[in-house]
């Protein structure tokens, strides 16, 4: 008689989720040193096995190019030896961070003598569905391991080869360090059915993080029975106030738009106060032209475009809500700071907005009125990033308000529980 394992009748995704749950239980009580050792082993292995990773990535890139994928998407997908080294370095940054597990968030002795502590605990099994950026595979795994969570990674099908190679390296390193390799798993299957199965794995997967475009987020928010932390698209704005340092405003605009246009924290709309427009816009249009940016201009910006070298097209209403992720920017002149805020509140995806101003009063009003995860004053929108914020990396940038908002690092991958310690106390 053959004995059936309970796993035999399960789908590959459910089986992976069960294994993750078992691994999460093993990880939860681990001391920091054991988790850090595994992370260091990961960083070393990434460096030692760079050529294997880059070779797998080359297959994804070739497939993407064959399919006519845009160069911005190919850029997101690309791994070079230098990028792999940067990813390994991010992992070492995570090692250097404190372990959030066990941190006492709140503690007191109640009048009856009971000792009450609220302590951080891992979430358990974290499922992440994410875009064609293979670095996210490692960032997510590193953050989850350090915070005592098992992770189910469902990367983009266009990064399948890269992710398969990366997860092989990660699992070898984790297993080699004596931790359960199933703490890091690629969700089996290349199709969207695996996403649907993850969304139905309530009780096995503790939280699902969709990290990608609007269609993904909508699908997961509407259909998941597993609790979701929503990340969001980045329709980010740069507002140049009446009192702005023009050189600073140009630098911030160009950095926000053109440093890496394919990422969610790059700027998509420029708003300029009417009082500074005559001085600022001619310079801004030339600078945008030099950076290769096409400007989708409202009629007031168009008036300044005649003598500039800029490529300018007339904006349509869709431009205000478009996340180009390319060398394009929408631009409008506004009558006042309050009109800029109104425009932002109407069209933003709630990710990141920046103001350039020398007025403290304007900066205060802007930061109070704008309702986005991050409001930058005299700084580029590109700073909304877990690495830049000192979180080591990020598992995503939450654009919702519950549990976490903005770049999510280690504490955001924990929940809490109360430890009630008495001395034979009973409630009367
Ligand atoms: N706020 C944040 O933290 C972040 C936001 N973003 C945003 O993500 C977008 C870019 O991501 P993009 O490359 O377009 O990624 P996509 O949204 O196209 O894809 C991301 C992942 O979701 C899957 N997916 C997409 N749509 C669905 C769906 N309807 N049902 C089930 N699964 C789905 C994809 O699978 P498959 O590959 O198989 O199609 C892929 O694994 C930008 O808008 C960017 O701003 C990106 C990263 C971080
Ligand atoms: N972490 C990013 C920003 C967030 C992000 O990952 O966005 P995306 O490139 O759209 O997947 C960065 O600035 O590098």
């Amino acid at each position: 008689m053959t004995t059936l394992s309970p796993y035999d009748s399960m789908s590959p995704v459910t089986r992976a989720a069960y294994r993750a749950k078992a691994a999460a239980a093993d990880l939860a009580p681990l001391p920091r040193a054991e988790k850090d050792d595994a992370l260091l082993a990961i960083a070393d292995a990434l460096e030692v096995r760079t050529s294997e990773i880059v070779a797998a990535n080359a297959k994804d890139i070739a497939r993407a190019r064959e399919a006519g994928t845009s160069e911005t998407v190919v850029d997101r997908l690309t791994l070079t030896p230098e990028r792999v080294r940067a990813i390994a370095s991010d992992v070492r940054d995570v090692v250097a961070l404190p372990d959030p597990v066990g941190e006492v968030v709140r503690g007191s002795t109640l009048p009856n003598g009971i000792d009450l502590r609220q302590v951080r605990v891992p979430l358990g099994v974290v499922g992440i569905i994410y875009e064609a950026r293979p670095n996210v595979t490692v960032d997510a795994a590193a953050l989850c391991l350090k915070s005592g969570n098992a992770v189910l990674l469902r990367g983009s099908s266009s990064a399948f080869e890269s992710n398969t190679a990366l997860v092989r390296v990660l699992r070898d390193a984790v297993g080699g360090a004596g931790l359960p390799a199933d703490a890091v798993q690629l969700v089996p299957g290349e199709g969207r059915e695996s996403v649907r199965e993850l969304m139905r794995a309530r009780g096995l997967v503790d939280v699902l993080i969709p990290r990608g475009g609007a269609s993904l987020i909508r699908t997961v928010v509407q259909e998941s029975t597993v609790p979701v932390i929503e990340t969001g698209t980045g329709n980010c704005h740069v507002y140049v106030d009446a009192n702005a340092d023009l050189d600073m405003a140009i630098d911030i605009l160009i950095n926000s738009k053109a440093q890496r246009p394919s990422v969610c924290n790059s700027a998509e709309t420029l708003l300029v106060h009417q009082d500074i427009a005559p001085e600022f816009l001619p310079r801004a249009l030339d600078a945008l032209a030099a950076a290769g940016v096409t400007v989708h201009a409202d009629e007031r910006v168009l008036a300044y475009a005649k003598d500039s070298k800029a490529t300018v097209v007339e904006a349509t209403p869709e431009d205000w809500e478009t996340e180009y992720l390319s060398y394009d920017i929408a631009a409008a002149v506004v009558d006042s700071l309050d009109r800029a805020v109104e425009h932002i509140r109407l069209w933003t995806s709630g990710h990141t907005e920046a103001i350039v101003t020398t007025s403290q009063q304007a900066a205060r009003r802007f930061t109070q009125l704008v309702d986005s995860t991050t409001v930058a004053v005299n700084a580029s929108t590109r700073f909304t990033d877990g690495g830049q914020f000192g979180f080591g990396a990020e598992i995503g940038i939450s654009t919702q308000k519950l549990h976490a908002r903005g770049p999510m690092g280690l504490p955001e991958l924990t929940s809490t529980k109360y430890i009630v310690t008495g001395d034979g106390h009973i409630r009367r």
Side-chain angles (χ1 to χ4, degrees), residues 38-369:
L39 290 170
L40 289 171
I42 286 175
D44 293 346
L46 287 169
E47 286 177 346
V48 170
R49 293 170 68 177
T50 297
S51 54
E52 174 186 339
I53 295 162
V54 171
N57 181 249
K59 292 185 199 162
D60 286 331
I61 293 173
R63 205 155 38 113
R65 290 226 162 92
E66 249 168 58
T69 307
S70 75
E71 278 310 305
T72 47
V73 175
V74 171
D75 169 61
R76 292 159 73 87
L77 183 60
T78 301
L79 287 177
T80 58
E82 197 189 354
R83 283 190 182 179
V84 175
R85 264 196 303 280
I87 294 170
S89 159
D90 284 348
V91 175
R92 293 195 178 98
D93 288 346
V94 174
V95 172
L97 293 171
D99 185 347
V101 177
E103 183 199 337
V104 178
V105 177
R106 199 155 48 167
S108 61
T109 305
L110 302 182
N112 60 6
I114 278 183
D115 180 77
L116 182 69
R117 272 158 207 261
Q118 185 184 20
V119 297
R120 286 197 187 282
V121 293
L123 288 166
V125 177
V126 176
I128 171 168
I129 305 156
Y130 55 101
E131 75 279 27
R133 275 183 77 178
N135 67 301
V136 176
T137 305
V138 182
D139 287 354
L143 289 170
C144 284
L145 269 181
K146 178 89 183 203
S147 51
N149 294 291
V151 66
L152 289 169
L153 299 153
R154 200 295 183 180
S156 169
S157 43
S158 48
F160 181 75
E161 299 285 350
S162 316
N163 289 337
T164 302
L166 283 167
V167 170
R168 199 165 48 232
V169 172
L170 295 172
R171 287 173 59 89
D172 287 351
V174 170
L179 267 55
D182 283 340
V184 180
Q185 295 181 73
L186 202 58
V187 174
E190 283 187 70
R192 294 266 171 97
E193 183 50 33
S194 61
V195 175
R196 276 185 285 277
E197 280 202 65
L198 272 182
M199 293 192 293
R200 290 194 296 261
R202 191 178 174 93
L204 288 176
V205 177
D206 292 280
V207 64
L208 207 48
I209 302 175
R211 174 174 165 161
S215 158
L216 167 70
I217 308 294
R218 204 171 34 249
T219 303
V220 176
V221 167
Q222 286 172 2
E223 296 180 21
S224 179
T225 57
V226 173
V228 174
I229 301 178
E230 227 178 296
T231 71
T233 55
N235 181 15
C236 306
H237 296 72
V238 173
Y239 165 61
V240 180
D241 188 39
N243 302 299
D245 175 320
L246 293 186
D247 290 335
M248 183 194 285
I250 298 282
D251 285 351
I252 288 173
L253 169 65
I254 299 303
N255 185 262
S256 298
K257 178 65 254 180
Q259 197 222 8
R260 199 168 179 195
S262 64
V263 294
C264 58
N265 53 24
S266 65
E268 307 294 10
T269 301
L270 164 67
L271 300 173
V272 182
H273 192 290
Q274 61 178 359
D275 293 353
I276 206 168
E279 231 187 314
F280 177 69
L281 272 173
R283 286 185 60 186
L285 290 171
D286 284 349
L288 287 166
V293 177
T294 298
V295 180
H296 300 243
D298 79 340
E299 57 184 20
R300 294 167 84 182
V301 174
L302 276 176
Y304 294 95
K306 288 188 211 89
D307 303 323
S308 94
K309 304 169 208 132
T311 307
V312 181
V313 295
E314 197 171 337
T316 64
E318 291 79 60
D319 282 301
W320 310 124
E321 62 184 345
T322 299
E323 187 197 33
Y324 302 107
L325 298 172
S326 61
Y327 286 94
D328 291 84
I329 195 163
V333 173
V334 290
D335 293 345
S336 63
L337 182 148
D338 281 16
R339 292 289 89 77
V341 169
E342 253 172 45
H343 178 110
I344 290 167
R345 289 186 75 110
L346 188 59
W347 298 110
T348 185
S349 59
H351 193 295
T352 299
E353 332 297 344
I355 180 173
V356 187
T357 186
T358 53
S359 157
Q360 283 192 10
Q361 201 189 349
R364 199 173 320 114
R365 187 157 178 81
F366 191 82
T367 52
Q368 280 169 346
L369 295 182

